[in-house]
Amino acid sequence: MKYAIIKCINGNYSVHAEGITELANAKTAYHGLCQTLWNAPDVLTAHVSIVDEQLDVVEGYKENIYHNA
């Protein structure tokens, strides 16, 4: 199984990382990205997920980040 980390920051979608074969590595990258986004002053909204090859969220790893303008 391969995993990807997808993100939507202030309405702009992109793939942060893809082709990750170890779930533990995907989780580490996911948590690092979430921490960065929580601390970024220019991020108003962000959504981050770990997804599998069928684009299903893996083990509930979906973070919604909101900051007041």
Side-chain angles (χ1 to χ4, degrees):
M1 177 80 53
K2 291 183 181 176
Y3 304 98
I5 299 170
I6 59 173
K7 61 185 178 180
C8 179
I9 301 170
N10 296 332
N12 297 307
Y13 293 83
S14 65
V15 175
H16 177 73
E18 61 183 314
I20 304 169
T21 56
E22 296 294 326
L23 184 55
N25 294 340
K27 289 177 181 179
T28 300
Y30 166 86
H31 287 296
L33 177 59
C34 289
Q35 180 179 10
T36 298
L37 295 173
W38 273 113
N39 290 316
D42 60 331
V43 173
L44 297 178
T45 63
H47 308 281
V48 181
S49 298
I50 299 176
V51 296
D52 61 18
E53 295 166 334
Q54 289 78 41
L55 299 178
D56 293 324
V57 174
V58 176
E59 294 184 5
Y61 278 90
K62 181 175 181 175
E63 182 83 11
N64 297 306
I65 298 166
Y66 297 101
H67 294 117
N68 293 328

